[in-house]
Amino acid sequence: MRPNLTRRTLLGTGAAALGAGTLGLTARPASAQTAVSLQLSWLHSSQFAGSYIALDRGWWSEAGLDVSLLSGGPNAPVEPPVVSGAALVGISAADYTAAAVEQGAPFKILAVAMQKNPFVIASLPANPVNEPADLVGKRIGMALANTPVLQALCTLNGVDINEIEIIPTQYSAQPLLADEVDCLLCWETDLPVAMAMQGVESLTMLMADHGYAVHSQTYIATEDSLANRRAELVALMSGEVRGWDAYREDTDAAAALTLEMYPDAGLDLETQRLQAARQVPLMFSDLTDANGFGWWTDETVAANIETLALLGQTVTSDLWDRSILEEVHGA
Amino acid sequence: MTNAAAGTGRPLATGRRGAGGYGPMLGVLVLLAGWELAGQLLTEAFVLAAPSEVALYLVRDWQLMSRALGVTLGNAAAGFVIGNVAAVALAGVALLWPRSERVITGLALLVFCLPLVATGPILRVFFGPGPGPQIALAALAVYYTTLIPLLVGLRAAPDSWFDLVRSYGRGPMSALVHVRAMAALPYLFTGLQIAAPAAFLGAMVGEFTGAERGMGVLTVRAIRALDVEMTWGLATVATAVAILAYVGIGALARRVLLEAPPVILAAPAVATGRRLGGWIDTGLVILLALGGWAGAIWAFGLNPFFAKGPGDVLDALVFAPDAAATRATIGAALAESAVYLIPGYIAGLLAGAALAILLILVPAVASTAMPLAIALRSVPIVTTAPLIVLLLGRGAVGTIFLVAVMVFFPSFVACLQGLRQAPGQVMAVFDSYAAGPLARLVRVRIPAMLPAFFAAARMAVPASVLALTVAEWLATGSGIGSLMALSASLSDYDMLWSSVVLVSALSALGYVLVGAVERRVLAIYAPEQLA
Amino acid sequence: MAHDVTPPPEVVCTSLAKTFAGGTEAVRPIDLTFAAGRTTALVGPSGCGKSTLLRMVAGLENPSAGRIEIGGAPPRATLRRAGLSVAFQDPSLLPWRSVRGNIELALTLARRKAGASEIDQLIDLVGLDGFAETRPAELSGGMRQRAAIARALATRPGLLLLDEPFGAVDELTRRQLAQDLPRIWEARGTTTILVTHSVSEAVLLSDRVIVLSPRPAEIVADIPVDLPRPRPEDAARTEAAGALIDRVFAELSKGMAASNPPLAAQ
């Protein structure tokens, strides 16, 4: 199915066996590997390159896990495969997870990859949006479904949303470039990157810098898995932590690896490099420097609960469960 | 019994003996020139790539593109085979056990009306990683448009042929082998021809559910990345493949068959005289649909978090404390969609009829217009929906245009064949009065066209709903298509399933209603079709 | 060539009647015996029910009352061993098969075999030499009917049912067929039932003419035709034939007149 992966896995195992042989150890037979799946939230790209590194370097197979990275897509919600057990862990976001929990899904957030929410307001230098107050009188292009997000930002910053003209657009930078809108609600790592690659310089105002605190790219698992498959969760997450730490050290290499592993994904190296670099500030902070990748504190959770309340979602700190991460970083 | 107006029309879409072989080339050239011009003018707008740019892109990235094409084509072919085999099997059951026909077609219609947006994720959970959902969606996209003409074709033989078989002491099996199978072939080819582009579209949409490679994956990537050359390159390749499949099956049909494949002309399955029987069948369809739905959830142990049963939907829509709010949300979304759907549907039907009439009055246009019409129809909507909405603006025009395109082609082909079917003797009478082409058109040809027009109108109902929901989901972000996508991302599966039920039921109802209008019209203009 | 030629059966209809589901009475109870190896013509005004009678004998239509025995067995048994052939009013040729292909299909259906030369002879006999590989769409109406007759003969049936088989055949060919066909079924000893509305054809071709009334069909007259065979082309102009033809006409008119008063009274 994935010739590249198979080849890599084989090579990796071969190398590991060689190494083990010289050390006089026996290699773990392939059959002893536990198969688990990690459901990604979007198509393969350097957005998930930390996981690719963990896979590529055999960190999971060393720990006895045979990890499949399941691609996401525009019509591939993350929650169902995690609930049904098809995936052990899924990559979601605090707001989506909260919505699923409200609908009865027994999810916990195990770790937070994006400490800062990637939502930005993107604009062009000639007509910039540098802070929320600049939105007044502007035409913003966004999916109507994201109105609560803009509303939350406005509430947090004392801006009257009625002063902003919302223009429903599809998720594309084109309306901004065609001057149909003055700014876009989008992710730091996709549409601005696409514009940059087309030679268009844009400004981004990170909503997280203006009080919009919603953990993104969160790792979720079911309560049942937390109770009964702890060892696998710990092994999976420690691979992730190692992978993302390695990613941070060399994002260009991570982007190159992404292309190497997924040659059919239609990725462009320059775009992937830029995207990989741009998501570093979202994922790593003083907090993670002090405590390790994926960490959160009661304070960041409290901020999340506050923002989620503005989005109409009532959650408690029970939604987060740090026990796996503590085991990973404690070990 | 349903009966078919045997297609005696001339071969379509190919200009086999078209006057002058330059017509089709001219059409393609006109198209390319217009496209190139528009592409050059709109370079700065990031919506349209000129053919020269597309060609350059395809030369540069042909390896990536051919790998993606291989994957999608493979899945589409698998789905094409499975869906058509299923259609043949269903038709076989309906033939051996005629009592079951209306229940089978009713259930088949309901399943065909299930919106892609909603079935995709469920199929992904069901199949897990791999090509399962792509193949399943391709199969789902084709089986109905094969089943219906096939059912007609299997009966499209005069009684005396069956008498002949019986007079030699042979039974239904011999009749099937020697008469029905051969008589059904033209109808089967008609179905296959429509199925080919549909299977490709289904496979592409299936890739949205988490595939790693394929044309659909690349489409999403290209649109996000503002890569206009790649987007139009994908649309071009996908369209070319769909056209080739359409033309290829047509060519095969002409090798095998004596006459051109007929237009699908099944009188609607509803109300075959016995009102009571009709109601019983409808009830049976609903019962079986509900039973199959609940049974599948139970049998496959689907998780109740996302797999909602009939009871859950009834609860969400009627009994739950927030049922009124749910109904209001879905109702508002449906109303929003209807505003686009109905004008697009009617515009598509009328445009198809109008072009067909134009071709009859000015036959020289035919060889130029035909390739354009096929190309327009074969463009996979998932690649073009976002582009067309960008190109025509986010207002009503883009969405209405998309719906109209989906409806236009079947209407056009059917009307053309209907117009050409005008009875020769009646035409001769008009000739003897020296009636002009317009009088002939109004008094003879258009009435003769009506049965085909309505058959197309009926079959276009599910297609138009598909176009609308895909456009809303991928491009405009409004209406029921968007509500379904949003509900899935917010895990509001009660809302999603309720929407699915209502969309499917309304589509099926629309189909039946158009069928009812059709019967009233046929009773006046073509009573023999209802015999 | 070895053929399992079915011996010609006697066909006995006892109190045979047909009323259609809609209530239309097509055939009043009829007692009629078709002698083995002889040719019987059924004559009557169009729509009188003679085709229905033929279809019942062929086992294609179930009688509402009475019964039919072919060689002492019900029609179904004869059908099962493909012991009869029907040439329908509508030639019913399959459009995707050539003339030869249609004949071969009949042989396949009847589980019979015939050599290519035998099929060629039949095709020649009905005047279609040169058209063996032609598809029905390219034949005239009369040629199609002749192909259907050839097909009916191909299986060498013991019982041959002909339903107005010359309706679309041109006069010249019709004359030729009237010469050739009786020779075949005489040589083979076939029991033949011929439905026609041509009185002279009935007299020339058959050993006996049954005149039927307008619908519902009843037997108006049963007229033996004792003209010597073979009957040359001008046999119809002999005095004996003329008398027979006049008599059949007279009986036909009588039958028509008998059914008129109730119509006029309406």
Side-chain angles (χ1 to χ4, degrees), chain C residues 74-92:
Chain C
R76 215 161 284 278
T78 312
L79 277 182
R80 260 200 297 276
R81 52 185 178 75
L84 62 83
S85 273
V86 191
F88 296 93
Q89 219 169 333
D90 161 5
S92 306

Side-chain angles (χ1 to χ4, degrees), chain A residues 2 44 75 168 180 264, chain B residues 67 208 212-213 221 394:
Chain A
R2 277 190 294 246
H44 287 298
N75 201 14
E180 290 169 21
D264 288 347
Chain B
R67 289 199 304 269
F208 289 3
E212 286 195 353
R213 49 180 71 85
R221 180 81 70 204
R394 289 168 309 276

Side-chain angles (χ1 to χ4, degrees), chain C residues 172-245:
Chain C
L172 218 63
T173 318
R174 191 190 277 241
R175 280 193 185 192
Q176 190 55 49
L177 286 174
Q179 291 298 304
D180 295 341
L181 290 179
R183 235 177 279 142
I184 295 183
W185 59 65
E186 257 167 65
R188 290 183 183 173
T190 314
T191 308
T192 306
I193 305 176
L194 167 71
V195 166
T196 177
H197 49 223
S198 158
V199 173
S200 55
E201 198 170 275
V203 169
L204 265 188
L205 288 174
S206 66
D207 302 309
R208 176 187 176 204
V209 176
I210 309 279
V211 181
L212 296 171
S213 70
R215 199 166 65 192
E218 281 180 299
I219 297 174
V220 177
D222 184 343
I223 304 165
V225 179
D226 41 13
L227 300 175
R229 286 190 190 269
R231 298 168 188 167
E233 225 175 285
D234 53 4
R237 268 175 265 142
T238 62
E239 206 175 310
L244 275 169
I245 289 171

Side-chain angles (χ1 to χ4, degrees), chain B residues 366-450:
Chain B
S367 52
T368 305
M370 207 65 201
L372 293 186
I374 298 171
L376 205 54
R377 172 63 179 83
S378 302
V379 179
I381 183 171
V382 287
T383 52
T384 46
L387 298 173
I388 287 180
V389 170
L390 281 179
L391 212 54
L392 296 180
R394 289 168 309 276
V397 184
T399 316
I400 290 177
F401 179 78
L402 274 172
V403 174
V405 164
M406 283 295 268
V407 176
F408 159 79
F409 187 69
S411 159
F412 166 61
V413 174
C415 288
L416 193 60
Q417 193 136 358
L419 288 166
R420 286 176 172 167
Q421 248 168 21
Q425 285 169 358
V426 180
M427 294 300 272
V429 170
F430 271 69
D431 284 343
S432 71
Y433 290 119
L438 204 65
R440 282 198 259 174
L441 182 74
V442 172
R443 310 238 176 233
V444 187
R445 285 204 148 125
I446 289 182
M449 175 195 88
L450 285 176

Side-chain angles (χ1 to χ4, degrees), chain C residues 37-204:
Chain C
R38 310 305 296 270
T39 301
T40 311
L42 294 173
V43 185
S46 49
C48 78
K50 48 192 192 301
S51 289
T52 307
L53 185 58
L54 195 79
R55 288 176 60 81
M56 286 195 283
V57 174
L60 298 173
E61 202 87 64
N62 286 322
S64 316
R67 70 196 144 85
I68 301 166
E69 283 180 348
I70 302 174
R76 215 161 284 278
T78 312
L79 277 182
R80 260 200 297 276
R81 52 185 178 75
L84 62 83
S85 273
V86 191
F88 296 93
Q89 219 169 333
D90 161 5
S92 306
L93 300 171
L94 300 185
W96 51 85
R97 283 173 174 264
S98 63
V99 169
R100 181 192 301 282
N102 269 283
I103 294 173
E104 283 168 349
L105 174 67
L107 291 163
T108 308
L109 288 172
R111 299 189 173 90
R112 300 267 154 81
K113 284 206 166 60
S117 65
E118 194 176 343
I119 295 177
D120 285 336
Q121 275 174 17
L122 277 170
I123 292 174
D124 288 354
L125 175 80
V126 296
L128 288 177
D129 29 330
F131 291 94
E133 309 308 330
T134 308
R135 292 231 169 89
E138 291 159 52
L139 299 176
S140 72
M143 291 163 96
R144 285 183 219 167
Q145 275 197 321
R146 277 138 61 192
I149 293 169
R151 178 178 61 191
L153 293 171
T155 56
R156 302 187 152 246
L159 175 60
L160 182 62
L161 305 171
L162 305 171
D163 191 357
E164 312 228 9
F166 310 123
V169 177
D170 64 277
E171 192 60 33
L172 218 63
T173 318
R174 191 190 277 241
R175 280 193 185 192
Q176 190 55 49
L177 286 174
Q179 291 298 304
D180 295 341
L181 290 179
R183 235 177 279 142
I184 295 183
W185 59 65
E186 257 167 65
R188 290 183 183 173
T190 314
T191 308
T192 306
I193 305 176
L194 167 71
V195 166
T196 177
H197 49 223
S198 158
V199 173
S200 55
E201 198 170 275
V203 169
L204 265 188

Side-chain angles (χ1 to χ4, degrees), chain B residues 154-172:
Chain B
L154 285 170
R155 295 194 163 84
D159 287 342
S160 64
W161 294 359
F162 299 113
D163 282 344
L164 178 77
V165 174
R166 282 171 60 206
S167 75
Y168 289 108
R170 303 300 283 269

Side-chain angles (χ1 to χ4, degrees), chain B residues 5-11 259-263 417 420-422:
Chain B
T8 51
R10 273 161 268 169
E259 13 178 279
V263 170
Q417 193 136 358
R420 286 176 172 167
Q421 248 168 21

